[in-house]
Amino acid sequence: MTPPRAPGGAYEGAGRQVSVAVRGYSSVIVTSDDVVAAAHTAIGIALGESAHRLVMIGDLAGEVAPLQALVKGDDAHGIYDSFEFGTSFTRIAREVSGATNMYIMPSGTESAATEAILTSQRWKTFASEFANSDELLLLVVHSDSPGLAQLAARLDGAVLVGIQRLPAAPNANILARIPHPVVTSPPKIDLSVKVPEPTLSQRTVGIAAAALLLAGIAGGALFKSMRTEPRDAPPTAIVADTLVDSLPRRPVVVPSNPADSVDSMPFSVEILAANTAEGANFEMNRHGAQMPAATISLVPIGDTEATWYKVHAGAFGDSAAAEALLAALRRRRVVPDSAGTIIRAPFALLVDTVPAQAGMTAKVRARVRELGDRGVHAYALIQRDGSARLYAGAFGNPEQSSLAATALRVAGLTPVLQYRTGRLP
């Protein structure tokens, strides 16, 4: 028996959380074994991103209820009609009432969940148009749809909802994974057992607890003011009849080389933590050439929009080597005596590699310089086979890398989170 699924608000909340993961992209598939869950997640992503740019959600699953509920008016034309009769996306897009910069493209007079539509070359053109306009296209698709691999190849990436892999498109660029919330029924109460009448104080506490519980449920109903449940939607009494044990967590960010954790270079020196990019860049321009593996790490401050721009130097396997670097920088007056701290930052974003070859040192320096001209403060670590990995940033945990990864994608790079390995040149 299929376990009961969590209310849509839980998925919309998770979508808001992962919206930062798609900020550097313009065309993204949101897919699941449950297209209703995928649709709610896409709505959450759109709500998170519409504050920054226009967002269009396309229904490639066939009249999914959460999306249909946002489409106002009697015009039934949609994506199917655009591909069948040439109707432009502009004409079929429906603005979502009560939201800014948010539009829905319905499935159409017939279902758009067909192999012919999913495999169309036109998606590549559409993806390019959204990228050039700095807008976001989200396509809700079932995870086993025919032609999903071709569609994924023409877009920037995919968000998986409730699934860990995408066998229908094994080469898709996975941007985030959101687990299905776990929903369990509350314990049954044996009404034959007599319970003593509660005292007045117990009644008061019970009423207060019930009020807090209801407030928590209401608070999870994101997008409540805009969404209207369709007549044939499952009853929303599931919220009252069940308890959500585990709401969707933040997308799990994992390094691509977990086996290298034992060989990582986790220690660095934090030179400066500035609250502006200008402050960090000023420090790099002044002293970057005197600091090995100098880089700027964009680190979010808690759950806020604020950012630290941290200047880091060095990549060492033990803290003693980092202490030696800090002492040397203080002797040379690069760092004041009261500044600089040793940090543990085993993670970095891989932005390029240079294969082992003649003139390796010059090749690596040239590539680091090219990245610097693009505003990327990269550094090289030489690997055991003589090749070089070019990293940007240094992070204490994978989640800290999210903003930096987005900035690198905006710069036209494809960063990959890794345990940083190798030695300084």
Side-chain angles (χ1 to χ4, degrees):
M1 181 177 178
T2 303
R5 195 53 49 84
Y11 290 98
E12 288 167 19
R16 281 180 180 266
Q17 290 181 355
V18 305
S19 61
V20 69
V22 306
R23 191 154 296 170
Y25 298 96
S26 299
S27 53
V28 176
I29 293 168
V30 183
T31 186
S32 174
D33 54 353
D34 179 347
V35 291
V36 173
H40 280 299
T41 302
I43 291 170
I45 294 173
L47 287 171
E49 276 298 280
S50 61
H52 308 282
R53 52 179 170 164
L54 183 145
V55 184
M56 186 92 71
I57 304 177
D59 182 354
L60 285 182
E63 297 189 351
V64 185
L67 300 181
Q68 283 294 111
L70 299 178
V71 177
K72 305 303 180 184
D74 299 327
D75 188 355
H77 295 86
I79 295 175
Y80 170 83
D81 306 278
S82 176
F83 280 81
E84 188 71 16
F85 309 113
T87 309
S88 69
F89 273 10
T90 304
R91 295 190 62 183
I92 65 174
R94 316 292 169 76
E95 186 172 7
V96 176
S97 176
T100 303
N101 288 334
M102 185 171 167
Y103 295 81
I104 303 291
M105 289 191 300
S107 188
T109 55
E110 294 189 31
S111 175
T114 68
E115 187 172 7
I117 291 178
L118 266 65
T119 59
S120 173
Q121 287 281 356
R122 291 175 63 188
W123 290 114
K124 187 173 183 180
T125 303
F126 295 145
S128 178
E129 291 173 354
F130 274 83
N132 292 336
S133 303
D134 192 24
E135 298 170 349
L136 176 61
L137 173 65
L138 298 172
L139 296 177
V140 176
V141 194
H142 197 284
S143 57
D144 63 1
S145 295
L148 187 58
Q150 292 92 322
L151 178 65
R154 296 181 179 114
L155 305 183
D156 292 338
V159 173
L160 307 186
V161 182
I163 53 178
Q164 289 297 311
R165 298 181 301 107
L166 195 57
N171 296 320
N173 180 26
I174 307 304
L175 307 180
R177 293 178 175 86
I178 298 174
H180 285 311
V182 177
V183 181
T184 59
S185 299
K188 294 183 178 180
I189 300 174
D190 187 353
L191 298 178
S192 64
V193 178
K194 291 186 177 181
V195 180
E197 185 70 19
T199 65
L200 177 61
S201 61
Q202 288 172 332
R203 287 196 194 100
T204 304
V205 172
I207 292 170
L212 289 172
L213 175 60
L214 291 174
I217 292 173
L222 300 174
F223 203 48
K224 180 180 179 182
S225 61
M226 291 170 49
R227 189 180 72 243
T228 303
E229 292 292 343
R231 294 187 183 91
D232 58 349
T236 55
I238 185 171
V239 179
D241 292 342
T242 63
L243 299 176
V244 180
D245 288 343
S246 174
L247 292 180
R249 301 179 296 273
R250 290 184 180 274
V252 179
V253 183
V254 295
S256 65
N257 60 337
D260 290 338
S261 61
V262 294
D263 297 320
S264 67
M265 297 289 114
F267 293 98
S268 287
V269 178
E270 185 171 297
I271 307 298
L272 173 73
N275 58 8
T276 64
E278 291 77 10
N281 284 321
F282 179 74
E283 180 65 23
M284 287 290 290
N285 291 335
R286 279 203 312 164
H287 297 129
Q290 303 177 60
M291 300 185 296
T295 190
I296 295 178
S297 306
L298 278 66
V299 178
I301 302 176
D303 294 326
T304 69
E305 295 290 332
T307 304
W308 282 122
Y309 298 85
K310 297 188 174 185
V311 178
H312 292 145
F316 306 101
D318 59 76
S319 59
E323 291 280 5
L325 172 61
L326 178 57
L329 294 175
R330 285 172 173 168
R331 283 196 304 270
R332 299 201 300 265
R333 303 300 184 203
V334 173
V335 179
D337 289 341
S338 60
T341 57
I342 307 303
I343 64 167
R344 195 175 192 283
F347 304 100
L349 292 165
L350 179 71
V351 294
D352 203 356
T353 57
V354 179
Q357 57 190 290
M360 187 67 178
T361 301
K363 293 281 176 47
V364 169
R365 287 178 179 171
R367 184 56 182 141
V368 170
R369 191 162 49 248
E370 290 172 6
L371 290 168
D373 293 340
R374 297 170 62 177
V376 178
H377 298 285
Y379 57 98
L381 294 181
I382 306 301
Q383 305 302 302
R384 292 175 179 175
D385 62 359
S387 66
R389 293 180 182 177
L390 273 56
Y391 294 108
F395 308 98
N397 60 62
E399 289 73 21
Q400 289 182 350
S401 68
S402 59
L403 290 181
T406 298
L408 291 169
R409 287 192 289 266
V410 171
L413 299 173
T414 307
V416 177
L417 182 69
Q418 287 194 347
Y419 283 100
R420 56 179 183 171
T421 61
R423 59 174 177 80
L424 293 171

